[in-house]
Amino acid sequence: MRKRGVRAVLAGLAAALLALPAAGRQEPVEASGRELVERWFRLLEDLDGSEERRAAFLNVYREDALHIQGPSGAHQRGTTTFWGREKVGMLIDRLQQEWGDHSVRIEVTTAAEVSAALLPETDGPWGGPFVAAEFGLSGTHRETGIRWHVPGAAFFRIAGGQLSRVRIYLGLGEAAEVELQ
């Protein structure tokens, strides 16, 4: 068991060294699909109302990206599509006005005493990766002061190192009020 772990670490180090650009060359390193999705979750988690963090979050989207999700409030009926960074920014602004103290976590799966955040990835016919993620979202509704946890799933289409399409499903029927200790 220990030999397998050591081999995995050495293989990871070798892969990282091979990925380094040759001396003197400054080549941009494009993130893998998984890395981009992990960055998206980190940037979503870091949103604090500042313009700097908002811009960082929106910059992972292509200028012409689609962000699609189901209803998220009483004012919304049916699926909504936000086309382009500007519209995604409007969604983020509205959500931050409605919800505070948010946290977002990729779900971790455990089996046989091994845990991992599963982000299945495949190549799409557009020439880029497609990544899926199961996550949990918690936030405090500003109007009521009630904290909620909602499970969700997200599907990411990536082209040219940026998100070209994001589809979010929230399990609103499974939303649970969080009881603070």
Side-chain angles (χ1 to χ4, degrees):
M1 191 67 148
R2 288 184 73 159
K3 285 183 182 179
R4 201 176 324 152
V6 171
R7 279 189 221 143
V9 169
L10 291 175
L13 286 173
L17 288 173
L18 290 173
L20 291 174
R25 275 194 294 162
Q26 296 294 328
E27 294 181 10
V29 178
E30 190 171 308
S32 72
R34 179 189 179 99
E35 290 168 337
L36 184 61
V37 168
E38 287 173 334
R39 184 181 318 145
W40 183 89
F41 277 104
R42 238 183 354 267
L43 291 168
L44 180 60
E45 170 82 15
D46 290 344
L47 286 172
D48 62 1
S50 71
E51 185 55 40
E52 179 184 11
R53 292 202 175 163
R54 179 185 186 272
F57 177 77
L58 294 175
N59 280 334
V60 298
Y61 285 86
R62 289 174 50 110
E63 191 62 47
D64 61 348
L66 293 177
H67 180 103
I68 305 162
Q69 67 183 53
S72 63
H75 59 282
Q76 193 176 333
R77 296 188 189 274
T79 301
T80 302
T81 301
F82 299 89
W83 192 343
R85 267 191 216 145
E86 182 181 335
K87 300 294 185 201
V88 175
M90 291 170 57
L91 167 67
I92 293 303
D93 295 343
R94 190 188 82 227
L95 291 175
Q96 287 195 301
Q97 288 171 0
E98 251 180 78
W99 295 90
D101 190 28
H102 71 281
S103 65
V104 185
R105 300 283 187 265
I106 297 171
E107 288 294 329
V108 173
T109 301
T110 302
E113 298 183 22
V114 176
S115 298
L118 301 179
L119 295 170
E121 182 175 346
T122 190
D123 292 326
W126 56 88
F130 181 82
V131 181
E134 185 179 359
F135 65 94
L137 170 65
S138 296
T140 303
H141 192 262
R142 291 189 191 279
E143 190 175 298
T144 64
I146 298 173
R147 187 160 182 80
W148 292 92
H149 177 79
V150 181
F155 303 92
F156 301 88
R157 185 182 297 179
I158 300 163
Q162 290 181 296
L163 300 174
S164 62
R165 185 177 189 272
V166 177
R167 178 65 163 107
I168 305 285
Y169 291 96
L170 294 175
L172 296 177
E174 298 177 53
E177 187 175 339
V178 177
E179 295 181 27
L180 300 176
Q181 301 297 317

